[in-house]
Amino acid sequence: MKPLRKAIFPVAGMGTRFLPATKSVPKEMLTVVDRPVIDYAVREAVEAGCDTLIFITGRSKQAIANYFDRSPELENELEEKNKTEALEIVRNIIPSHVNCIYIRQAEPLGLGHAVHCGAPLVHPDEYFAVLLPDDLIDGYQKGALQQMNEVHERTGSSVIALEQVSWDEVSQYGVVAPKNEHQIPIELAGIVEKPKREDAPSNWTVVGRYILNGKIMQLLETTQRGAGGEIQLTDGISELLKTETILGVPFSGKRFDCGSKAGFLEANLHFGLGLLKRGGR
Ligand code: UTP
């Protein structure tokens, strides 16, 4: 089995929940302490071994590409001023062996459609990762994707990250039907996007981390609009489940929903307090 190397970051969403800030700043560039939200997901992917980062972007998202580009003028200026610590930070945003590729999603037709925009770069027999930067995860001892990749390498299966939420919240998420929820990793019997509470097959919900068989790209080609009138990744995964085993991994770590104001503030408090405890300023 080939090692996991490619990671797709769908970042073409409108970010309406953060208006007016997102009128000019992509929500992925809002900062949690001193790093943009997207930086955390990128580090997690690189830590898990990915060296090809595919960003599915949309209008007014240029700031993301600028952030991951080298910046010779800034680097020269910092060097001349002997600001070595700042220079190191700017130079080490991503390691030099990592490539960033940007694809435009011309119309925001949904997460499944966004992932499918990466199809020309994914071979049907390779596994690739999808990371939704809104879900910022402070992994316990290692990153969530790394934890999932260990399960993927051991089993050869597609893997998705799971979290158990209160039954009041299930209708906001993709929800899985576990074959046996006491056996970890949890084998999926089904998956459904944003079900009503009374229809939800469990309270195990999908977190924005996936390792998927490249075959899903072909399935997404014909996936019809689903919940919210959008082409849903969950529906593609449901199709994939008809032909292969998919495992759910309840990762160890803390997740913050940085797509919401409350989650974003909580993430800032969590990482900010961590910095203060270490004596940082
Ligand atoms: P959300 O459903 O959170 O949508 O997308 P959004 O537009 O980003 O945010 P709000 O609700 O307007 O505030 C979940 C993820 O899927 C991506 C988003 O960028 C986000 O990472 N996405 C969604 C796309 O890339 N394209 C789409 O068509 C839809």
Side-chain angles (χ1 to χ4, degrees):
M1 198 175 59
K2 286 193 214 155
L4 183 73
R5 293 187 53 187
K6 295 176 185 166
I8 295 185
F9 300 85
V11 289
M14 307 233 307
T16 48
R17 282 171 287 172
F18 280 94
L19 280 169
T22 45
K23 196 166 165 259
S24 62
V25 182
K27 71 170 170 180
E28 297 78 11
M29 291 304 293
L30 298 176
T31 56
V32 170
V33 187
D34 54 354
R35 292 184 175 269
V37 167
I38 183 78
D39 186 288
Y40 291 82
V42 160
R43 283 163 166 242
E44 190 184 318
V46 171
E47 180 204 341
C50 296
D51 62 7
T52 305
L53 312 182
I54 302 160
F55 297 85
I56 311 299
T57 73
R59 224 175 303 138
S60 63
K61 297 277 180 166
Q62 294 89 334
I64 297 175
N66 293 343
Y67 178 74
F68 290 108
D69 274 354
R70 290 295 289 265
S71 176
E73 300 87 0
L74 176 62
E75 287 180 25
N76 286 342
E77 211 173 305
L78 292 171
E79 206 160 14
E80 274 167 25
K81 292 189 173 147
N82 245 336
K83 298 205 177 236
T84 43
E85 203 182 323
L87 183 62
E88 278 309 292
I89 292 170
V90 168
R91 276 191 178 148
N92 292 320
I93 288 176
I94 43 168
S96 55
H97 71 280
V98 173
N99 283 316
C100 294
I101 301 168
Y102 299 89
I103 296 182
R104 289 278 286 248
Q105 184 189 23
E107 228 186 318
L109 296 177
L111 177 58
H113 180 262
V115 170
H116 183 258
C117 289
L121 296 169
V122 175
H123 201 265
D125 10 280
E126 77 181 326
Y127 284 79
F128 66 100
V130 177
L131 296 96
L132 305 189
D134 281 1
D135 278 334
L136 198 163
I137 302 175
D138 189 11
Y140 179 62
Q141 291 183 338
K142 47 187 131 173
L145 192 69
Q146 171 73 19
Q147 296 174 35
M148 294 162 67
N149 197 23
E150 286 170 10
V151 175
H152 166 65
E153 284 177 344
R154 204 171 64 236
T155 60
S157 297
S158 291
V159 176
I160 64 179
L162 295 182
E163 192 173 63
Q164 214 165 13
V165 303
S166 82
W167 280 92
D168 290 337
E169 294 176 279
V170 286
S171 58
Q172 301 165 29
Y173 293 96
V175 181
V176 303
K179 279 200 171 157
N180 174 359
E181 65 179 327
H182 303 295
Q183 198 172 332
I184 308 286
I186 297 172
E187 190 174 339
L188 268 59
I191 184 167
V192 56
E193 185 64 28
K194 299 190 175 71
K196 286 190 195 140
R197 181 191 164 129
E198 57 273 26
D199 299 333
S202 77
N203 60 347
W204 283 101
T205 59
V206 179
V207 172
R209 299 288 183 278
Y210 311 78
I211 297 175
L212 298 170
N213 188 324
K215 269 197 281 182
I216 198 169
M217 291 299 190
Q218 207 189 339
L219 301 172
L220 285 169
E221 229 158 79
T222 51
T223 302
Q224 301 298 308
R225 286 171 188 253
E230 296 195 337
I231 297 171
Q232 296 288 353
L233 181 59
T234 301
D235 295 338
I237 294 173
S238 179
E239 278 303 304
L240 187 64
L241 194 54
K242 290 180 182 162
T243 58
E244 72 164 71
T245 303
I246 302 180
L247 299 172
V249 172
F251 59 92
S252 52
K254 186 155 174 50
R255 176 184 73 97
F256 302 92
D257 175 12
C258 286
S260 76
K261 284 174 215 160
F264 176 74
L265 287 171
E266 221 190 310
N268 265 296
L269 285 174
H270 172 84
F271 286 96
L273 287 173
L275 176 80
L276 293 178
K277 271 189 201 150
R278 293 194 305 276
R281 286 187 294 135

